[in-house]
Structures are given as C-alpha cells and as structure tokens.
Amino acid sequence: MKKYKGKINRFLYKNDNGFGVALFVLFENEKKSIIITGPISIMRMGIIYNITGQEVEDIKRNQKSFLIHSFSQVKDFDREGLIKYLSSPTFPTVGKKLAENIVKHFKEDVFKKILENKNELLLIKDMTEEKASIIFDVVKEKFGDNKVLDIFIENNLKIEFLNLLQRDYEDPNIIEQILKEDFYRYASENKLNPFLEVDRICLTFGIEEDDEKRVSWFANEFVKGLLFKEGNTYTTLNELQKKLRVQFNLPENIIIQKLLYAKKEKILYFKDEKIYTRESFEDEQYIAKELFDLSNRSNYIKTINDFDKKILEVEKFISSRNGIQDFKYNAEQVEAIRNFIENDISIITGGPGTGKTTVITGIVKMYELIYADDNFAITAPTGRAAGKIKDDSGYKTSTIHRLLQYSGNDSFEANESKPIYKNLVVIDECSMIDNHLFASLLRGIKGIKKLLLVGDIEQLPSVSYGNLYEDLIVCEQFKTTRLIKNNRQINNLGEKNSIIDLSNAIKNESIDNFDFENTNNVDFIFLNDSQNILDSIKKSYTNLNPSNILEQLNDIQIIAPMYKEKLGIDNLNNLIQNLVNPTLSKVYKRYDTEFRVNDKVMYIENDPVLELSNGDVGYISRLNFIGEKLKTANVVFNDRELEMSLNSFQKINLNYSCSIHKTQGSEYKNTIIVLDAENKNSNFMINKKMLYTAITRAKEKLVIISDKDLFIKACKRKSKERLTTLKESIYKMNL
C-alpha cells in the first residue's frame, strides 16, 4: 500500500453511488498530481487528506490511477505545513506573512481555537475584519462539525454506505439520526451488503449488542440464509433459535421477547408457527392475489366456433416456418392450444421432445389470429431458452430480466410504480423461476389478460426460494396440460432414443428395470477409480468435440454436480482446457485458473450494461495486456464481440464443465455427465431431479461416467420437499 498527502484539485467524474475520479495535488509538491479513484465523492475540495491505496490501470483513460482504500482528513500540521496550508488558495487573501502571524499567535490547535473564538483573529498583526471573516468561514467549512465522516474514517467503516446516505439526505442531522436509530432498516430497504458491515456501523453509532433491533435484524439475516439454503419460503422458530443462541448469549425467553420487535415492525412474519422474511411472505401473497384477480377478469372470449379451421392455419404456418411438410399437432398439443383459448391462465408441462416450443409458437400464432393483437411478450429466465423460442418461432423474445429492464442490485426499471403493459405473457422454463422473480414480473407487467406458463415439472426447481411452478400445478386451480407423447422416441438414425428411455425410467422410478447393456445413443462408463474416470472423460471429450469453436459452444458440454475434488467442475475445466486449448500465447491467471484465447466461457451475472444474461456462453477472442497486466478482454457472446474491462471479466468462468443448474434452459448435441463417488457430498446431495435435468440436456448423444452404485442410488433418491405456502394462499383466495 502506498500513502500520499494532498488535496483534490477537481473532480473528473462522480456517480450516484459515491464512486469518483479526481485530480489530487500532492501537499509536499503542488506541481505534482495524481489521478485518484474509488468511493471518494464524499471527499471535499480544499481539504488536506492522507490517502492510502494502490496504483491500478485505468482502462477507460488508458493511464495509471490511484485506487483509494482509505482516507482521513489531516488536522494536525507542523509549523511549516500550517503556514503552507494557510497561505494556499484555499484561504483567499491570506499571504505567507499573515499565515506566519496566525501560527505565531495561536502556536497549536490553530483551527480549533479559531472555531472557538472568531474574534481572537482580530488580535493578530495585519488582520482585518474582512480577512478574519473569510478565514473563519473557510475553517468552519473545512474543519467544522463533520463528526459522522470522522467516525466512519476512524473506525474503518464502509464509506460507500455513507455516500448513499448523503445522496439521499442533505441534512447531516437526519443522516446521524438514521445511523443512531435504525440504520438496519435503511440498509435493508437499499439492499446494502454485507450485513456484518451494516452491523459494525450500527454498533459504532451506539446500538447495544443485545438491543431488540439488533436481535431482530440478525434474525432476519439468519432466516434469509436458511430459506436460500433449503429453498423454502419459511422456517421454524426452533431453527431460528439455534442460530440466535450462537450469536447472542441470551436465554430462550428473552430471545422470543426481543423477536416481538421483528413481528411488530414486519421485519419477519410469524404465521401458524412458521417464520417468513418480509419478502418471502409478501411475494407468496402477491402471487396468489394477482393470479386470482387475473383468473376472474374474464378478459377474452373463451370459445371460438372455427377452432379447427384456425388450427389448420397455425399448422400451415409451422410447416412454412420450419420447413416441415404437412406438419400436424398431436391430440395433446391441440388440447394445450384449446386450453389456452378457454382459460386466462394455462400451464403446459412436458419432458424433452414433447414439442413444448412448437406449441408455444402455435399458441402465439393462434392468439394473433383470434384476437388480432400483437401486444404480447414471450420470455424465459435464460438467454439460451429465450433464443431457442425465437429461432423456432421467429417471434421476438427476451429474458425476464431484460423484459423488466433489470438495473442491478435486484432492482427493475419496470415495477409497480412504472409498469409496462402486455395483454399476453408467455413464460418458458418455468421450473427455474423463483417466487421473487415471478412476483417481480407480476409487479412490473400490468394489464395481463392471458398468462401461459410452460416447463417441465420433473426438472430441478429454482436456485432461490420457492417451488413456484410445481406449486401452481399441484394446487389444481389452473388448467394444466401434460404433454407425454415424445417426438424424439426415434433418433436421427431411426433407432430407439435411449436418452428418452433413461429419462422416463428416472421419472417413473423404474431404473431397476432399465437395460444398461442395450442402448443406442447413451454410453454408460461405470468406474470406481477417479484417475480412470478422468482418462475416460478425456477420451470421450476428444471423440465428441467439434473442431469449430462456434460448434463447441452448443454441441458438447460436461455436466457435474460438484465443484471441488478431482471430478469437480473446477478441476474438469482445467483438465479439458489443457486437452483442447493448450497454452499458445499469453494467458491471464485468476487464482488457480488460467484464461486463454479461444477458451469456452460463461458469464455468471445479469448485466444490463453489457446486455448479457446469467448463463450466456461464449469464447475469448483476444486478451489485451499492458506489460504483464490484463487491460481488457474481447469475448464473443451471441455473435457479438464485446471488449470487456477487467472488472467485467471477473464475472466470467471457464465453461467446458458446469453445474446442472447452469445448464437448465439449454440443450447440447453431446452431453457428458460426471458423478464423483469419492466426494462425500455425492451420496446425499445428488437426487433424481438433478439427474433427470442433466440427462435431458442431451439431444443426440449422452455419456455417463460414474460409479454404478452411486448412479443407481441417485436415480432413486427423491429431492427434499420444499416447504412453501403458496398453494394454501391460492386456496384461500378461491374460497
């Protein structure tokens, strides 16, 4: 870490979150300056600061800058420093001679004494009333009451949080009041993280360790963690107390008493011995109410006399669009389209190959024919899923985050106060959608007259809390069509499709009867030794890997449920990278992972600026270095080449191998599934839904490399049921 002393000459850039870029003039040599960056917009011009940080490459400006880690106002100067500061342009009308007289008169604590008695300035030789007034005003501005900032600096508290407070409130008294009385609530409403940094601020500003507010907000944080870990929308008092007893050395009855504050302030909801976060409870209630209201609006006609004629028109459209001569929907698919017409909310569930995407296309076309309306949205949780519908149908599609104009930090530009309006909303891959995202969609899109939810109930539920899609089907309040007939029962060679047979065996719990010896497009490589498994992975990948980089993105994928150990995702990525993309030029290293030109990569966040979705897959086309440091990287996503800053590049992972959740919404020509019997977590974590989801990613060829006993047990292991109350909330609405 380097240190400098000086003052800001001028700001070059500031944003609303407190980040800034400024020209910083050094105190010891005012002819020398540096560019400083970081959470500095709270710093004031004309004040002398000590700053600590490190030099970094400023990619946008193609220059070095100084990234500030901490700063503090200089209040104690030596004699020469005081004279220099007082005779600087910060103090107009004060020359060197008068500055020397001021220092000689006060000797020490100069600024403190001026603030305590303005009139004492008039006793100094060569001082005038006008000059005394100017000096006092500058000292008051620069050294007056700024105790909140001083407290943040002295205790190394997160300056970014204070920046946000000052953005929202001009009055320092209000800021201090919030910090002393309930900064927890402000932080929660503004989604400030990490929580422990919020807690440090509250403790510093005087909250007692066992205060009911602190206990309640810690309880909220614990409940959030429990819900995310288990996928439930509520937990129990017993589970919460276990966490609170570790954090607070308090008797059980005192903890319960302090939790009354959380109940009163609606930090947590307590219902029927269940404990919800405010978000999880209100999301369930909102979803139930919105779906109830939509079901009872009777927006559109529910029957049409020429349905069969319209179906023929739709089938002709599909034939023309997809180049399929005399295309015909089967009976299940026709029923799905009819159910859509007859119900304002309809659901379709079906496995791979049952024609869900083709039915979506037909439904949207039927909607256009009947209602002569093009105000609809077709959306999905991932870019790959949305892109598949667009490619098959020709209709415009988008991810949910893009449709709602995601702005970062779990916020959407399309919300209840500024909604967009659509008459029809079609959502694919609904098993991936958590309660909060669906509630956000219902808040951000108004005027919905028809809602179509499509997915596969057998797949994994969402990463975050809730079991939305399954709950909506199981509650039996919305018309559901189950597509069973499979159009991929025969593969491209006219043989039986063993991928479909295997997925059905897992779904129907008949794996014991599956014929592992006689399969067409599924290879089982059952091994026990991890080194032998690694050798088999390399051999299988080499045999299936296309030579073209673009084909590699969609034509082959290794799927593994674990990240660590020899057969985990991290090691498999390094293994395959060295196999298919050896080092030929300069590489960028992040911890133990190297990134090379032509590496297959995945973006792991929703980014509204770069217009990238979590799960988008691409490849590195160029790495741009300044000396030994990476400046930018060119990465191709969805036929777009983006020059990414180092900060954005940190959100990229290698993607030769990835998790099951990350592959949802995607299909691959060739899929290799790797299970690790040596990882102790495998024996209780891998279940039938995980395997079903992984297996159904494969379109033409599937290779499973695993210990046989582990694979069979995982096919039979049911996933832990998620605890939710959405079904009950819907039932109550319909009473």
Side-chain angles (χ1 to χ4, degrees):
M1 291 286 182
K2 286 188 174 182
K3 295 182 178 180
Y4 291 106
K5 181 161 72 173
K7 61 184 178 181
I8 290 178
N9 178 274
R10 70 178 186 275
F11 277 97
L12 307 175
Y13 172 77
K14 284 184 182 182
N15 69 15
D16 290 340
N17 295 321
F19 179 83
V21 180
L23 184 67
F24 190 80
V25 177
L26 302 187
F27 187 69
E28 304 300 332
N29 182 0
E30 292 190 355
K31 293 181 179 179
K32 187 176 180 181
S33 61
I34 59 174
I35 300 294
I36 62 173
T37 66
I40 61 172
S41 62
I42 203 170
M43 296 172 70
R44 292 179 291 165
M45 294 174 62
I47 289 180
I48 307 299
Y49 290 100
N50 285 319
I51 60 174
T52 303
Q54 64 185 103
E55 286 187 347
V56 296
E57 294 291 339
D58 188 333
I59 294 168
K60 287 185 177 179
R61 295 170 180 81
N62 197 25
Q63 63 186 17
K64 286 186 177 180
S65 60
F66 190 78
L67 177 62
I68 286 187
H69 288 265
S70 64
F71 62 87
S72 59
Q73 183 178 356
V74 177
K75 295 185 177 181
D76 297 318
F77 297 82
D78 60 22
R79 182 179 181 279
E80 293 305 316
L82 266 173
I83 292 170
K84 184 175 182 179
Y85 185 42
L86 285 166
S87 58
S88 73
T90 301
F91 291 85
T93 75
V94 178
K96 186 175 180 182
K97 184 64 178 175
L98 183 55
E100 289 174 343
N101 293 343
I102 293 170
V103 173
K104 182 179 180 180
H105 177 84
F106 286 110
K107 294 184 175 59
E108 58 185 21
D109 295 330
V110 174
F111 301 120
K112 181 181 178 182
K113 289 175 180 177
I114 290 172
L115 288 170
E116 287 174 349
N117 187 359
K118 174 183 176 180
N119 291 329
E120 192 168 344
L121 285 166
L122 298 173
L123 303 177
I124 297 170
K125 185 181 178 182
D126 298 328
M127 184 66 67
T128 66
E129 285 192 17
E130 183 182 5
K131 289 180 180 180
S133 181
I134 290 172
I135 293 169
F136 179 80
D137 287 344
V138 172
V139 171
K140 184 178 179 182
E141 179 193 351
K142 308 300 184 188
F143 295 89
D145 184 11
N146 200 15
K147 60 183 178 181
V148 169
L149 176 59
D150 291 343
I151 291 170
F152 265 76
I153 292 170
E154 287 165 12
N155 293 277
N156 196 26
L157 302 178
K158 202 168 175 67
I159 290 291
E160 290 92 331
F161 293 171
L162 182 56
N163 280 327
L164 291 172
L165 277 166
Q166 291 187 331
R167 179 196 70 184
D168 293 342
Y169 302 98
E170 291 184 4
D171 189 338
N173 294 318
I174 294 176
I175 291 173
E176 187 174 357
Q177 182 182 355
I178 291 170
L179 290 166
K180 286 182 175 179
E181 294 184 4
D182 204 354
F183 183 63
Y184 290 116
R185 185 175 297 281
Y186 175 86
S188 176
E189 290 171 352
N190 290 274
K191 301 180 175 69
L192 304 186
N193 287 299
F195 174 77
L196 291 180
E197 286 293 323
V198 173
D199 182 55
R200 280 209 317 123
I201 290 171
C202 294
L203 287 170
T204 302
F205 279 86
I207 196 166
E208 297 293 328
E209 288 198 359
D210 295 341
D211 189 281
E212 62 181 0
K213 291 179 182 177
R214 186 166 186 257
V215 173
S216 293
W217 284 106
F218 258 96
N220 178 65
E221 196 66 17
F222 289 145
V223 174
K224 282 198 300 185
L226 287 166
L227 300 195
F228 184 81
K229 180 182 177 183
E230 302 293 338
N232 304 328
T233 60
Y234 66 86
T235 188
T236 63
L237 181 60
N238 183 50
E239 289 297 315
L240 176 56
Q241 283 186 320
K242 288 178 188 176
K243 297 278 188 181
L244 290 172
R245 280 197 295 268
V246 173
Q247 180 68 37
F248 299 96
N249 186 25
L250 294 171
E252 184 176 309
N253 64 315
I254 298 298
I255 288 177
I256 292 174
Q257 182 181 342
K258 290 181 182 293
L259 285 176
L260 292 175
Y261 177 83
K263 182 178 181 179
K264 181 184 73 172
E265 295 297 320
K266 294 185 177 180
I267 298 169
L268 296 171
Y269 279 84
F270 297 78
K271 299 282 184 181
D272 304 323
E273 300 183 352
K274 301 176 181 70
I275 303 177
Y276 307 75
T277 62
R278 180 171 185 164
E279 181 183 275
S280 69
F281 180 81
E282 292 183 355
D283 281 346
E284 281 195 339
Q285 297 299 306
Y286 192 85
I287 290 167
K289 183 180 184 305
E290 286 295 300
L291 294 183
F292 172 79
D293 289 347
L294 175 53
S295 295
N296 289 278
R297 283 184 201 141
S298 298
N299 295 294
Y300 282 139
I301 56 171
K302 300 295 193 294
T303 58
I304 56 172
N305 296 325
D306 58 349
F307 178 82
D308 292 338
K309 182 180 176 182
K310 290 283 195 297
I311 280 287
L312 289 174
E313 288 186 59
V314 171
E315 290 172 338
K316 286 180 181 177
F317 170 77
I318 300 291
S319 293
S320 174
R321 171 72 197 170
N322 295 335
I324 304 172
Q325 189 173 0
D326 298 326
F327 170 82
K328 292 290 179 186
Y329 283 113
N330 64 37
E332 293 172 350
Q333 295 168 333
V334 171
E335 180 189 9
I337 298 172
R338 188 184 295 275
N339 286 340
F340 165 78
I341 299 301
E342 294 177 354
N343 298 272
D344 291 326
I345 300 174
S346 57
I347 301 173
I348 298 172
T349 180
T354 55
K356 296 189 296 293
T357 303
T358 308
V359 172
I360 289 174
T361 303
I363 282 174
V364 176
K365 187 62 179 175
M366 181 70 85
Y367 177 85
E368 288 181 314
L369 292 173
I370 296 172
Y371 305 113
D373 179 33
D374 62 358
N375 186 24
F376 55 79
I378 306 172
T379 188
T382 70
R384 296 287 289 275
K388 185 176 184 299
I389 301 172
K390 181 181 179 181
D391 291 342
D392 287 2
S393 69
Y395 289 115
K396 181 181 177 182
T397 64
S398 72
T399 63
I400 296 173
H401 282 76
R402 191 167 298 175
L403 177 65
L404 299 180
Q405 301 159 45
Y406 182 67
S407 55
N409 200 24
D410 194 31
S411 298
F412 298 95
E413 293 294 321
N415 52 50
E416 241 177 335
S417 60
K418 296 188 297 182
I420 59 176
Y421 290 84
K422 298 291 178 183
N423 294 328
L424 164 65
V425 176
V426 178
I427 312 174
D428 194 16
E429 295 292 350
C430 286
S431 66
M432 298 176 64
I433 300 174
D434 60 73
N435 281 18
H436 187 59
L437 182 57
F438 190 61
S440 297
L441 183 143
L442 295 177
R443 291 185 176 103
I445 305 178
K446 295 301 179 184
I448 300 174
K449 297 178 174 63
K450 278 191 173 292
L451 178 65
L452 174 65
L453 306 175
V454 184
D456 184 353
I457 194 174
E458 303 298 333
Q459 284 193 34
L460 281 170
S462 58
V463 174
S464 191
Y465 68 81
N467 198 20
L468 174 83
Y469 187 59
E470 188 169 333
D471 283 348
L472 295 181
I473 292 173
V474 172
C475 76
E476 297 184 338
Q477 299 298 304
F478 311 106
K479 190 65 177 179
T480 300
T481 310
R482 296 178 183 269
L483 302 180
I484 298 170
K485 185 174 181 181
N486 201 290
N487 302 311
R488 298 184 196 166
Q489 205 67 51
I490 304 299
N491 66 21
N492 293 337
L493 300 175
E495 302 168 329
K496 182 177 66 172
N497 189 340
S498 298
I499 297 171
I500 300 301
D501 289 346
L502 179 60
S503 66
N504 286 335
I506 295 173
K507 178 177 69 175
N508 300 327
E509 300 180 358
S510 58
I511 195 66
D512 286 335
N513 301 322
F514 187 80
D515 187 354
F516 290 94
E517 303 300 325
N518 296 302
T519 58
N520 293 311
N521 52 347
V522 179
D523 291 345
F524 295 96
I525 303 174
F526 290 131
L527 298 167
N528 298 319
D529 179 71
S530 59
Q531 187 55 52
N532 289 338
I533 290 177
L534 289 173
D535 292 339
S536 292
I537 292 168
K538 289 196 288 186
K539 183 178 179 181
S540 296
Y541 201 96
T542 301
N543 291 337
L544 297 172
N545 188 39
S547 58
N548 185 302
I549 183 76
L550 292 174
E551 291 178 358
Q552 290 173 19
L553 302 183
N554 300 314
D555 282 6
I556 187 166
Q557 184 64 51
I558 296 176
I559 302 175
M562 306 296 174
Y563 277 89
K564 302 304 178 186
E565 310 301 342
K566 274 188 181 181
L567 300 179
I569 292 166
D570 294 338
N571 191 55
L572 293 179
N573 270 320
N574 294 334
L575 178 83
I576 302 302
Q577 180 192 48
N578 289 326
L579 178 69
V580 302
N581 192 29
T583 304
L584 297 176
S585 57
K586 205 168 189 178
V587 304
Y588 169 66
K589 192 161 187 178
R590 185 201 304 158
Y591 303 110
D592 294 330
T593 302
E594 285 188 357
F595 291 88
R596 306 167 185 169
V597 171
N598 288 333
D599 269 335
K600 179 181 176 183
V601 293
M602 175 182 282
Y603 204 72
I604 58 170
E605 284 189 14
N606 290 298
D607 192 317
V609 176
L610 294 176
E611 295 185 349
L612 290 174
S613 300
N614 187 349
D616 279 353
V617 176
Y619 68 93
I620 299 170
S621 58
R622 192 165 69 227
L623 295 171
N624 309 305
F625 292 88
I626 295 180
E628 295 302 310
K629 291 186 177 181
L630 182 68
K631 177 186 175 185
T632 60
N634 288 51
V635 188
V636 177
F637 287 104
N638 307 318
D639 299 322
R640 290 189 303 139
E641 184 169 16
L642 303 173
E643 185 173 10
M644 307 183 78
S645 68
L646 183 57
N647 182 54
S648 295
F649 194 71
Q650 301 308 308
K651 301 165 188 173
I652 277 179
N653 287 342
L654 293 178
N655 192 50
Y656 300 102
S657 174
C658 70
S659 69
I660 299 171
H661 271 293
K662 287 293 186 185
T663 63
Q664 275 187 278
S666 300
E667 290 182 321
Y668 308 94
K669 183 178 178 180
N670 303 298
T671 302
I672 302 171
I673 298 174
V674 179
L675 305 184
D676 183 7
E678 294 181 10
N679 188 320
K680 60 183 180 180
N681 293 320
S682 296
N683 290 309
F684 62 87
M685 281 189 64
I686 307 174
N687 57 56
K688 61 178 288 189
K689 281 209 167 191
M690 294 177 74
L691 281 184
Y692 175 89
T693 304
I695 287 165
T696 54
R697 301 309 90 206
K699 290 185 72 175
E700 295 184 15
K701 182 71 176 180
L702 172 65
V703 180
I704 295 174
I705 308 177
S706 169
D707 173 86
K708 186 172 184 178
D709 187 54
L710 171 63
F711 179 77
I712 298 295
K713 286 182 178 178
C715 288
K716 296 178 179 180
R717 185 178 296 114
K718 293 184 178 180
S719 56
K720 188 176 179 181
E721 185 179 353
R722 291 192 170 187
L723 304 177
T724 74
T725 48
L726 178 58
K727 297 190 297 291
E728 289 80 356
S729 298
I730 291 170
Y731 293 146
K732 287 178 183 177
M733 287 286 175
N734 285 282
L735 287 178

